[in-house]
Amino acid sequence: MKKFINSVDAMLAESLDGFAAAHADIVALGPERKFVRRRSVNANKVALVSGGGSGHEPLHAGFVGTGMLDAACPGQIFTSPTPDQIVEAAAAVGGRAGVLFIAKNYAGDCMNFEMAAELFAGAAATVVTNDDVAVEKSTHSTGRRGVAGTLVVEKIVGAAAENGMDLKSCAQLGSEVNARTRSIGVALTSCTVPAAGTPTFALGADEMEMGVGIHGEPGRKRVALASADAIAEQMLGAILADGDGLSGEVLLLVNGFGGTPAIELYLMYNAARRILEQRGLGIARSLVGSYVTSLEMAGCSITLTQLDDRLTALWDDPVHTAALRW
Amino acid sequence: MKKFINSVDAMLAESLDGFAAAHADIVALGPERKFVRRRSVNANKVALVSGGGSGHEPLHAGFVGTGMLDAACPGQIFTSPTPDQIVEAAAAVGGRAGVLFIAKNYAGDCMNFEMAAELFAGAAATVVTNDDVAVEKSTHSTGRRGVAGTLVVEKIVGAAAENGMDLKSCAQLGSEVNARTRSIGVALTSCTVPAAGTPTFALGADEMEMGVGIHGEPGRKRVALASADAIAEQMLGAILADGDGLSGEVLLLVNGFGGTPAIELYLMYNAARRILEQRGLGIARSLVGSYVTSLEMAGCSITLTQLDDRLTALWDDPVHTAALRW
């Protein structure tokens, strides 16, 4: 296992300490590192609290800041945060306008966020993201997995909350954005979970895992390595064949899994862009980078969100976090 | 070779097309993709033109925009841009205030930027960065290599140029920032140059290359894999032992080489931060991320720049590029 690490047990704590120190102008760590919160809490707005297993950085702590999340609860690597983490985060950032929990659809996350919502003394609502079209159920979830589309939900609802939207409307908006968002991923290599010390799965030199989950969970099929264009065709084919499909103007997010550099992500973005334009879809907004990672996995996901004028305006609203700024 | 790629020959062009499309609000591609320039050229200021071999993304094209570069010339992967690329970029963005070329100290880059400066009709000056303390000469350079510290030079001089500084002063400032900046890198894995198809160098499962260059050039020594703290000690030891050393307030940049995820980079930042504080240095500014990469190499570099009030203010000035924004 080749990682920058001192010990498996201390990895998360040390990385969080580094994150909080590097971005002390934006965030602060909660007691015992139970959560990362905005440095300046705004108690007059709906507070967005997300979280999940670590190993997906910058998701979620990198999205804490003005215009996006109010707090994020990091679990151990690929492990859900505990209900008490979530309750303490909500108490630290929530005010009279209430707290919106945003969880990705994994069994542990759903259970712990649900328990937290019950334990939390204030008003709360929950949005669960499940944008991954690859599989209908997986080793980690009942129903579809929540993956990189979670970023889109957090950004758009974050902007709405910043603008004063009430709790019920924020929850509805989050569900709407999630329903308009579809993702699929592909892995070229496996990640190695530090506590395991060996790769999560084995891939041949000429193989890739189409539909991989962000924890290295199996996808749709193990297939032969293909050209970037052919990979993008497979991925977008799966997304566009899903449900009623997408039309009109979309947000295109090409997300790296941690081990794939920018030169390849922009090439994949270019391949996806050409395919979408051939199919008559307009790319109204774009984002390219490693935002929802799987440790050092090489690979990427493609996410499309069907936009309308309101969602585009919320996407464009200012955001000031460690990982997203405009 | 597991990469998102259609063909070796088209890789750079397709990635540049994707980059330009994804960031069409900030940049535009020059004819035949010879350079990336700001979408809106400001002819009243000193124009900063950088460039170098590709494979280091987001360096340099990701730093084109308000407050930083005016244009960047991408060579083929790990290959210098040609003089005509550089001259055309200078002609496209340069005005009466002249053009400052910023090159990293590699034989090909120096020769081609020098030739371009001679061919260019307007006023020009050149800054060459050589911040890498690892080796005094290498397979690619006479003298020290220019590495991630180039980002610091481009940011600080970019801010000064935006504020109206004249050409001669910009060149002096660039040299001063370079002289105050020291870097060293370490590789955990090799990168694979697409045209070669096989890893540039071989590393055992328990080995790392201390002092590696950003093209996978040999560093100081092949050493045993160590803890993050021990690696940071070795790296900062080399930086702080160099020349007259550094004191007072520094900028700390922990830069990923492309295959190392954020969770590890923040952990390395944390290790470096603790060591610097123990040694009595103040970390006035921080930057953590994959900014000067070596394709998909796993590894990182640490860069320190000794700041003063003037340099800190220039670092803090607004920047709006694809890769750096504040």
Side-chain angles (χ1 to χ4, degrees), chain A residues 55-137:
Chain A
H56 306 301
E57 293 68 23
L59 180 89
H60 295 272
F63 305 145
V64 171
T66 309
M68 215 159 163
L69 300 179
D70 293 82
C73 302
Q76 286 296 319
I77 289 173
F78 294 175
T79 303
S80 301
T82 57
D84 75 297
Q85 285 183 264
I86 303 165
V87 171
E88 289 189 33
V93 299
R96 278 174 304 177
V99 174
L100 181 67
F101 295 113
I102 302 178
K104 303 189 296 300
N105 188 36
Y106 298 99
D109 289 329
C110 289
M111 188 176 71
N112 290 356
F113 270 93
E114 198 174 314
M115 204 176 297
E118 284 170 21
L119 292 170
F120 179 58
T126 302
V127 171
V128 177
T129 62
N130 62 349
D131 52 304
D132 190 345
V133 304
V135 294
E136 294 304 322
K137 61 179 184 173

Side-chain angles (χ1 to χ4, degrees), chain B residues 60-313:
Chain B
H60 297 275
F63 304 146
V64 171
T66 309
M68 214 162 164
L69 300 179
D70 293 83
C73 301
Q76 287 296 320
I77 289 172
F78 294 174
T79 303
S80 302
T82 58
D84 74 297
Q85 285 183 263
I86 303 165
V87 171
E88 289 188 33
V93 299
R96 278 173 306 177
V99 174
L100 181 68
F101 295 113
I102 302 177
K104 302 189 296 299
N105 189 35
Y106 298 100
D109 289 329
C110 289
M111 188 175 72
N112 289 355
F113 270 94
E114 198 175 313
M115 203 176 297
E118 284 171 20
L119 292 169
F120 178 57
T126 302
V127 171
V128 176
T129 62
N130 63 349
D131 52 304
D132 190 345
V133 304
V135 294
E136 293 303 322
K137 61 179 184 173
S138 82
T139 46
H140 290 55
S141 69
T142 304
R144 293 182 171 192
R145 303 172 297 212
V147 291
T150 310
L151 178 158
V152 184
V153 172
E154 293 179 353
K155 170 64 186 82
I156 289 179
V157 182
E162 208 75 44
N163 295 344
M165 184 179 274
D166 66 30
L167 179 60
K168 189 179 167 192
S169 303
C170 280
Q172 285 173 341
L173 177 64
S175 296
E176 184 194 345
V177 176
N178 176 64
R180 287 165 167 264
T181 299
R182 282 154 210 185
S183 302
I184 191 166
V186 64
L188 302 188
T189 67
S190 174
C191 53
T192 294
V193 177
T198 53
T200 304
F201 58 99
L203 272 179
D206 57 351
E207 287 181 326
M208 57 186 183
E209 179 74 21
M210 179 56 68
V212 71
I214 58 172
H215 312 91
E217 311 98 293
R220 289 190 169 184
K221 51 186 174 181
R222 189 70 50 93
V223 295
L225 192 62
S227 70
D229 284 346
I231 295 170
E233 277 284 1
Q234 288 180 50
M235 296 172 83
L236 288 171
I239 288 175
L240 296 175
D242 188 75
D244 297 333
L246 300 170
S247 59
E249 302 273 284
V250 296
L251 164 70
L252 168 57
L253 162 58
V254 175
N255 171 63
F257 280 151
T260 288
I263 189 170
E264 294 180 52
L265 295 179
Y266 282 112
L267 192 149
M268 279 298 285
Y269 171 84
N270 194 54
R273 180 178 69 95
R274 287 189 300 205
I275 293 165
L276 292 173
E277 288 174 355
Q278 282 160 11
R279 298 205 183 196
L281 285 153
I283 301 169
R285 295 294 182 272
S286 301
L287 187 65
V288 182
S290 294
Y291 293 105
V292 180
T293 61
S294 305
L295 296 167
E296 79 286 11
M297 185 188 284
C300 74
S301 60
I302 297 179
T303 296
L304 297 184
T305 299
Q306 183 154 357
L307 294 171
D308 60 19
D309 289 348
R310 183 179 62 133
L311 299 184
T312 303

Side-chain angles (χ1 to χ4, degrees), chain A residues 137-191:
Chain A
K137 61 179 184 173
S138 81
T139 45
H140 290 56
S141 68
T142 303
R144 293 182 170 192
R145 303 173 296 214
V147 289
T150 309
L151 177 158
V152 183
V153 172
E154 292 178 353
K155 170 65 186 82
I156 289 178
V157 181
E162 209 74 44
N163 296 344
M165 185 179 274
D166 67 31
L167 179 60
K168 189 177 166 193
S169 303
C170 281
Q172 285 172 341
L173 177 63
S175 296
E176 183 194 346
V177 175
N178 176 63
R180 287 166 166 264
T181 298
R182 282 154 210 185
S183 303
I184 191 166
V186 63
L188 302 187
T189 67
S190 175
C191 53

Side-chain angles (χ1 to χ4, degrees), chain B residues 20-93:
Chain B
H23 302 290
D25 54 327
I26 300 176
V27 300
L29 270 180
E32 299 170 58
R33 304 184 188 87
K34 285 184 177 172
F35 55 87
V36 174
R37 65 162 173 83
R38 293 192 195 185
R39 184 183 170 90
S40 301
V41 172
N42 176 352
N44 297 317
K45 61 179 275 300
V46 171
L48 268 58
V49 175
S50 188
S54 294
H56 306 302
E57 293 70 22
L59 179 87
H60 297 275
F63 304 146
V64 171
T66 309
M68 214 162 164
L69 300 179
D70 293 83
C73 301
Q76 287 296 320
I77 289 172
F78 294 174
T79 303
S80 302
T82 58
D84 74 297
Q85 285 183 263
I86 303 165
V87 171
E88 289 188 33
V93 299

Side-chain angles (χ1 to χ4, degrees), chain A residues 2-6 14-15 18 21 23 188 204-205 207 227-229 261 263-264 266 269-270 273 295 325, chain B residues 2-6 14-15 18 21 23 57 188 204-205 207 227-229 261 263-264 266 269-270 273 295 325:
Chain A
K2 285 190 141 175
K3 294 179 189 285
F4 293 115
I5 185 172
N6 288 310
E14 291 178 3
S15 185
H23 303 289
L188 302 187
E207 286 181 328
S227 69
D229 284 346
I263 189 170
E264 294 181 49
Y266 281 113
Y269 170 84
N270 194 53
R273 180 178 69 94
L295 297 167
R325 289 186 203 184
Chain B
K2 286 191 141 176
K3 292 179 189 286
F4 293 116
I5 185 172
N6 289 309
E14 291 178 3
S15 185
H23 302 290
E57 293 70 22
L188 302 188
E207 287 181 326
S227 70
D229 284 346
I263 189 170
E264 294 180 52
Y266 282 112
Y269 171 84
N270 194 54
R273 180 178 69 95
L295 296 167
R325 290 187 203 184

